[in-house]
Amino acid sequence: QVQLVESGGGLVQAGGSLRLSCVFSGSTFSVYFMEWYRQAPGKQREFVARIASGGSTNYADSVKGRFTMSRDNAKKVVSLQMNSLKPEDTGVYYCSAASFSSTYWGQGTQVTVSS
């Protein structure tokens, strides 16, 4: 059973940076696309970033140029470096592991950006 554990959230002022991490266990890491989603209070969960096994990435338009996702296949860890944070980046950030047959979610980590 895949388990995902996120860390690195916190409170930061606008313009600041945070680095989120997600540790994967329980299966073959390389077969999964890894993704970050976020959910702001009262809003639907939205896509933030995706990274394939080979390292190719996709980002939501709202975070392009500010966020960078990376993965370490040997350590089974993905990271999300978030720079130039804005109050609208506030929310619970979830790590997801997706294959053709399954999708798994972590418990989430809170990110709060104050203005």
Side-chain angles (χ1 to χ4, degrees):
Q1 183 73 11
V2 171
Q3 291 187 327
L4 302 170
V5 179
E6 303 100 330
S7 62
L11 173 64
V12 64
Q13 289 188 333
S17 298
L18 283 174
R19 185 176 181 87
L20 306 183
S21 294
C22 173
V23 179
F24 175 104
S25 64
S27 187
T28 305
F29 184 60
S30 60
V31 305
Y32 289 89
F33 281 85
M34 299 298 297
E35 301 173 312
W36 287 98
Y37 284 75
R38 67 187 180 189
Q39 188 166 17
K43 294 187 177 181
Q44 289 188 331
R45 193 172 296 189
E46 64 174 3
F47 169 77
V48 175
R50 175 186 299 117
I51 189 165
S53 178
S56 60
T57 53
N58 297 97
Y59 298 94
D61 287 343
S62 59
V63 307
K64 280 181 182 177
R66 299 188 299 121
F67 290 12
T68 302
M69 188 174 183
S70 60
R71 71 187 286 163
D72 185 328
N73 286 334
K75 295 181 179 179
K76 299 185 179 182
V77 175
V78 293
S79 299
L80 185 68
Q81 178 66 42
M82 305 186 296
N83 299 328
S84 302
L85 283 162
K86 304 175 181 180
E88 51 263 45
D89 294 319
T90 294
V92 179
Y93 282 68
Y94 296 92
C95 178
S96 170
S99 70
F100 289 111
S101 59
S102 305
T103 300
Y104 300 92
W105 296 90
Q107 292 298 308
T109 185
Q110 176 70 45
V111 171
T112 303
V113 184
S114 63
S115 57

